Amino acid sequence: MLIVAILVKATSEGPVIFKQTRLGMNGKEFTMYKFRSMCVGAEKSGVYSDSKDMRVTKVGRVIRATSLDELPQLVNILKGEMSFVGPRPPLTYHPWRFSEYTAEQRKMFDVRPGITGWAQVNGRKDVEWHHRIELNCWYVENISLLLDIKIMFMTVFKVLKNEGNENKGATVEARPEVKAEEKTEEKV
């Protein structure tokens, strides 16, 4: 972690650690830590990034590809805000606010969020948010030590292959009930 911190600081201006408010267990907001992989203020330009994104620093490309940018979340685990395995904590506003999740979708907030999870080993960033939430809820309903061990091993292979670690574009469609409302409005 010290080597990564030195590389981040030596190659780009700004803090070493990127702090971001996320939704944790029971929808409680917490500050999640990552090594900064983008230029300062990059979030103002959007949520998604890909391999050609100019906001990502040279060191940032490497630490993202190897998932080393996630290491500071060990502090979140020590603070009791996260776990090694669990649903990844979403942003407070993306894909939507906590109050906008359905009762079924909120099941994913019944456990601590994780550094890795069932949705990450089943598509990672390629998975559309509705399906990602379904995978997270399935995990919560089927949680076990054996499943966590399986996810940890699958994570190692996914990271080594750098599989599913690049956004292909927006992965949020309108919620089903919003789509239905839009269709009704179009007919009027």
Side-chain angles (χ1 to χ4, degrees), residues 5 33 36 38 45 51 59 93 97 104 111-112 114 147 156 169-170 172:
Y33 307 108
R36 185 176 51 79
M38 300 178 98
S45 301
S51 62
V59 168
Y93 58 88
R97 296 183 201 316
E104 179 67 24
V111 299
R112 282 189 188 102
L147 180 58
V156 170
V172 180

Side-chain angles (χ1 to χ4, degrees), residues 5-174:
I6 291 168
L7 289 171
V8 169
K9 191 65 178 173
T11 58
S12 63
E13 292 182 19
V16 171
I17 301 295
F18 174 71
K19 299 173 185 176
Q20 192 173 53
T21 305
R22 298 286 184 117
L23 293 174
M25 189 171 179
N26 300 318
K28 182 181 175 192
E29 293 184 10
F30 74 100
T31 301
M32 188 179 81
Y33 307 108
K34 294 177 98 171
F35 281 119
R36 185 176 51 79
S37 61
M38 300 178 98
C39 61
V40 175
E43 273 191 313
K44 294 174 186 166
S45 301
V47 176
Y48 298 105
S49 66
D50 59 26
S51 62
K52 298 171 189 79
D53 194 330
M54 299 304 292
R55 300 174 299 167
V56 180
T57 66
K58 289 178 183 177
V59 168
R61 290 189 201 294
V62 175
I63 64 174
R64 280 177 165 212
T66 56
S67 295
L68 291 173
D69 60 329
E70 309 289 349
L71 284 175
Q73 288 163 44
L74 294 172
V75 172
N76 291 114
I77 291 173
L78 292 173
K79 290 173 68 176
E81 299 165 328
M82 290 182 71
S83 179
F84 283 103
V85 179
R88 284 294 292 164
L91 294 165
T92 57
Y93 58 88
H94 182 77
W96 40 78
R97 296 183 201 316
F98 181 73
S99 61
E100 296 171 332
Y101 285 86
T102 66
E104 179 67 24
Q105 292 171 332
R106 285 189 189 174
K107 286 181 184 177
M108 72 180 224
F109 298 102
D110 289 348
V111 299
R112 282 189 188 102
I115 293 177
T116 188
W118 189 238
Q120 280 59 52
V121 297
N122 284 288
R124 211 168 175 183
K125 295 180 181 176
D126 289 341
V127 180
E128 193 276 328
W129 266 99
H130 291 91
H131 185 57
R132 194 179 304 188
I133 292 168
E134 288 171 8
L135 290 167
N136 288 334
C137 292
W138 181 91
Y139 169 79
V140 171
E141 292 168 357
N142 295 279
I143 196 168
S144 71
L145 179 60
L146 284 177
L147 180 58
D148 283 2
I149 292 169
K150 178 180 180 178
I151 291 169
M152 293 294 282
F153 277 108
M154 291 175 73
T155 299
V156 170
F157 291 113
K158 293 279 185 181
V159 169
L160 290 175
K161 291 170 67 176
N162 197 26
E163 202 171 277
N165 193 22
E166 185 178 310
N167 288 315
K168 304 292 185 211
T171 56
V172 180
E173 293 180 9

